[in-house]
Amino acid sequence: MIIRISIALLLALAPVTAFANQCPTMMAAIDAALPNASLSEADMAKVKQLRQQGEQLHQSGDHAGSEAALGQAKKMLGI
């Protein structure tokens, strides 16, 4: 019985863990692309704001919000 509960809990949490690990990968991709980005000052400021917002959301546990903000930054960077 305990094994079944443990397996069910592991399976329930696995997608959350996988999703949470995607945020740091996205942040790293943005960080790598920033130095070579050819964006206007306004767009660069927006990308940096979205990157910071994504990190804050990730740290607070809102991984869906984090991925949305980081995804928008990646789109602006063309990555």
Side-chain angles (χ1 to χ4, degrees), residues 19-78:
F19 193 58
N21 290 335
Q22 193 171 20
C23 301
T25 303
M26 294 175 79
M27 287 185 272
I30 292 166
D31 292 343
L34 277 173
N36 300 321
S38 57
L39 299 173
S40 68
E41 285 186 37
D43 284 346
M44 184 64 81
K46 181 68 175 173
V47 167
K48 289 180 179 179
Q49 179 214 5
L50 288 166
R51 164 59 174 85
Q52 182 179 10
Q53 180 184 5
E55 184 171 3
Q56 290 171 344
L57 290 167
H58 170 73
Q59 290 174 348
S60 70
D62 182 0
H63 300 292
S66 175
E67 185 176 336
L70 295 171
Q72 190 175 356
K74 285 180 68 176
K75 184 176 180 181
M76 290 180 73
L77 286 167

